[in-house]
Amino acid sequence: MDKLKEKFAQKALPLADEIKTLIKEHGNIVLGSYTLEQVYHGMKGMIGMVTETSKLDPEEGIRFRGYSIPELRLKLPRGAGGENLPEGIFYLLLTGELPTEDDAREVSNAWARRSHVPKHVFDMLDSLPMATHPMTQFSLAILAMQTESNFAAAYRKGINKKQYWDPMFEDVMNCIARLPRIAAYIYRRTYKNGVHIEPNPKLDWGANFAHMLGFEDEGMHALMRLYLTIHVDHEGGNVSAHTTHLVGSALSDAYYSLSAGMNGLAGPLHGLANQEVVRWIYDLRQFYGDKMPSKEDIAEYVEKTLAEGRVVPGYGHAVLRKTDPRYIAQMEFAQTHLADDELFKIVQMLYEVVPEILKSTGKIKNPWPNVDAHSGVLLIHYGLTEYDFYTVLFGVSRAIGVLTSLLWDRALGSPIERPGSVTSDWMKAQVEKAKTTA
Ligand code: HAX
């Protein structure tokens, strides 16, 4: 068995037994209570699932297997240009251990070996209208790869449920390995007249992705490593992670589950916010005659956006209550590499102006910027200007987290997910009951 697969099995299978005992012996421990408002407001703050790979703290931000982003910047293996290799964070999420440089290199090599995309996936993409949104193309391409699922094939043959994790491991590795090739194909087909670039097996996963997109600049390779590392995972309840987990809970394979998760990432309140941020900044600049806006201009434009009943993209979060550390990581990269960039200066001004205005509405729980407020500006600096493509980049990275979690789900024997639902008449009856008791 391959070394990484063996390591995963050594970690995951004993935990599966421990969890069985936990449920048997302590299954009736009460973990909390929840309110009518939480049920109507997207179950925010209700604990409803277990995700091993990462945990989000409202004040501090994400911790991957217990490590914060600043800690990981020092502890994970790095590529040229000093940024961490996404292969390293994959290893950490999968095994719970920090990888050595060799471990990260082995993941890189394994993904290079597994990166062949079947021809019918490209044929399917070529049959789509050119104006098809890149996220639609991405989700369809992942779905088209379902023909390759080891898990689906093994299930058909009657695999024992204790072995589910084994073909799922193969699917997860193959799927992640192929995503950069697919994403690059979509980019080159949509924006570069279908002139495609062959992979370079000598490059690491992130740099090779940048290369296949058409970027050879070392700075862009470093940015891609950073980007693909910080977007991987944000605990289990966000729309892309939860959708992948939910669909997978029906024993749909990795391709069905990830494609569904990507459809959630394509929503403007989730991953699509990265393209919306750039569109919004361009509209703002145009509104003020394509000159550098002042802080007063920005404040006026934010007020205008709110008055029109729209959201200010890149600000706010369902869990976070502070500036997103993923925003900070990108800001630090910009300060080092593109301090004089005009769009970066606008992003900095937004950071100074927007939170106070959002706070003043009295209803927005988190006035601070999230990950999507910053990413577009960095990509534009290096020449990746086609912002409708940005959520695909996010998706390539997010696949690492959600597929790793899906693999853990199968190893831990997670059951089909089936929460209860109620009607508003039922809710009103509860209110009447509560009044009588009071
Ligand atoms: N601009 C304007 N209004 C905002 C807002 C923003 N940035 N953020 C929240 N609000 C509004 C909500 O729409 C809601 O209004 P109503 O009561 O009228 O419905 C109110 O403030 C309370 O919302 P909340 O409880 O603070 O926030 P939610 O948990 O409901 O929503 C969102 C969290 C991220 C969806 C929200 O902050 C938002 O729409 N932000 C802008 C879009 C965005 O940047 N999304 C990316 C988030 C990070 C992510 O997932 N990346 O992939």
Side-chain angles (χ1 to χ4, degrees):
M1 200 193 297
D2 103 30
K3 224 170 80 187
L4 188 59
K5 193 170 177 180
E6 200 170 343
K7 176 149 223 137
F8 171 75
Q10 280 166 3
K11 295 273 173 179
L13 302 184
L15 183 61
D17 289 337
E18 248 182 87
I19 290 172
K20 268 198 199 105
T21 313
L22 212 61
I23 297 171
K24 199 167 159 205
E25 294 179 2
H26 307 286
N28 57 0
I29 286 184
V30 177
L31 295 177
S33 56
Y34 55 90
T35 62
L36 178 150
E37 184 183 0
Q38 284 175 292
V39 174
Y40 272 111
H41 277 180
M43 301 187 278
K44 313 257 173 56
M46 282 165 53
I47 295 171
M49 60 195 294
V50 177
T51 304
E52 304 293 345
T53 49
S54 64
K55 174 83 188 91
L56 183 56
D57 180 88
E59 300 295 322
E60 189 202 35
I62 191 69
R63 276 187 179 265
F64 303 107
R65 293 285 188 179
Y67 297 101
S68 69
I69 288 184
E71 285 165 1
L72 281 185
R73 287 174 76 73
L74 302 174
K75 288 179 190 289
L76 285 180
R78 294 156 189 253
E83 296 301 331
N84 301 129
L85 295 167
E87 291 90 326
I89 199 153
F90 168 76
Y91 186 98
L92 175 68
L93 298 185
L94 186 77
T95 65
E97 286 180 15
L98 286 169
T100 61
E101 304 231 332
D102 278 350
D103 292 330
R105 199 170 311 116
E106 279 175 29
V107 172
S108 227
N109 293 340
W111 285 350
R113 274 198 313 278
R114 291 169 182 262
S115 64
H116 174 77
V117 176
K119 182 174 172 298
H120 73 266
V121 176
F122 297 132
D123 292 344
M124 183 280 300
L125 286 171
D126 286 336
S127 74
L128 295 173
M130 291 306 281
T132 310
H133 192 279
M135 274 307 276
T136 312
Q137 298 189 46
F138 190 53
S139 171
L140 285 167
I142 294 166
L143 203 52
M145 276 201 297
Q146 194 275 335
T147 50
E148 312 302 294
S149 172
N150 290 283
F151 181 86
Y155 193 85
R156 251 183 116 95
K157 283 191 195 142
I159 186 173
N160 185 310
K161 55 172 76 169
K162 291 206 171 92
Q163 296 300 321
Y164 285 167
W165 66 272
D166 187 316
M168 186 57 89
F169 180 93
E170 300 301 326
D171 281 357
V172 164
M173 288 293 279
N174 290 341
C175 185
I176 295 173
R178 293 165 184 173
L179 294 179
R181 182 88 165 104
I182 287 173
Y185 193 91
I186 292 167
Y187 179 73
R188 304 289 307 179
R189 147 175 214 271
T190 309
Y191 304 111
K192 304 291 171 189
N193 300 319
V195 179
H196 298 289
I197 300 172
E198 287 301 308
N200 178 351
K202 291 198 189 117
L203 294 174
D204 55 82
W205 192 69
N208 188 36
F209 184 22
H211 156 76
M212 287 188 288
L213 290 168
F215 299 93
E216 304 303 350
D217 186 297
E218 269 301 320
M220 180 59 159
H221 288 197
L223 173 62
M224 200 53 78
R225 293 184 191 105
L226 169 72
Y227 188 103
L228 295 171
T229 297
I230 61 176
H231 285 80
V232 281
D233 209 27
H234 223 219
E235 72 170 34
N238 68 76
V239 173
S240 50
H242 190 189
T243 306
T244 307
H245 165 80
L246 169 66
V247 173
S249 84
L251 297 185
S252 301
D253 60 52
Y255 301 97
Y256 279 129
S257 305
L258 181 65
S259 175
M262 290 300 106
N263 296 340
L265 193 72
L269 296 189
H270 190 17
L272 204 78
N274 57 10
Q275 82 166 47
E276 293 304 297
V277 165
V278 173
R279 261 161 40 88
W280 185 86
I281 292 177
Y282 281 166
D283 287 349
L284 177 156
R285 228 176 33 178
Q286 197 183 26
F287 192 75
Y288 293 104
D290 276 326
K291 63 172 178 54
M292 187 73 174
S294 65
K295 283 189 190 166
E296 291 70 32
D297 293 338
I298 289 178
E300 184 184 60
Y301 199 77
V302 172
E303 298 281 11
K304 175 173 148 23
T305 303
L306 295 176
E308 287 167 353
R310 297 160 59 203
V311 297
V312 178
Y315 279 77
H317 201 273
V319 180
L320 276 169
R321 295 295 176 255
K322 281 275 167 67
T323 299
D324 191 333
R326 301 171 300 175
Y327 175 94
I328 306 271
Q330 295 180 92
M331 188 178 80
E332 288 169 356
F333 185 94
Q335 279 161 344
T336 310
H337 298 279
L338 45 127
D340 293 329
D341 184 285
E342 191 185 306
L343 280 179
F344 174 50
K345 286 185 180 154
I346 296 180
V347 166
Q348 292 284 80
M349 276 200 276
L350 287 169
Y351 193 17
E352 289 170 39
V353 172
V354 175
E356 285 311 313
I357 302 177
L358 295 188
K359 271 187 222 165
S360 72
T361 66
K363 67 168 184 178
I364 298 171
K365 296 193 188 69
N366 179 39
W368 303 105
N370 59 57
V371 66
D372 298 314
H374 217 309
S375 51
V377 168
L378 303 179
L379 295 164
I380 289 169
H381 177 81
Y382 288 105
L384 208 168
T385 55
E386 299 87 355
Y387 49 79
D388 275 6
F389 184 73
Y390 291 171
T391 313
V392 175
L393 298 175
F394 193 157
V396 171
S397 175
R398 182 50 60 93
I400 290 183
V402 300
L403 288 181
T404 310
S405 280
L406 190 70
L407 175 55
W408 273 86
D409 288 343
R410 294 295 71 81
L412 299 182
S414 303
I416 191 161
E417 192 174 290
R418 196 358 182 139
S421 75
V422 295
T423 62
S424 286
D425 280 341
W426 185 92
M427 280 294 195
K428 284 188 248 172
Q430 303 313 300
V431 172
E432 288 311 314
K433 232 193 263 174
K435 276 192 207 158
T436 321
T437 323

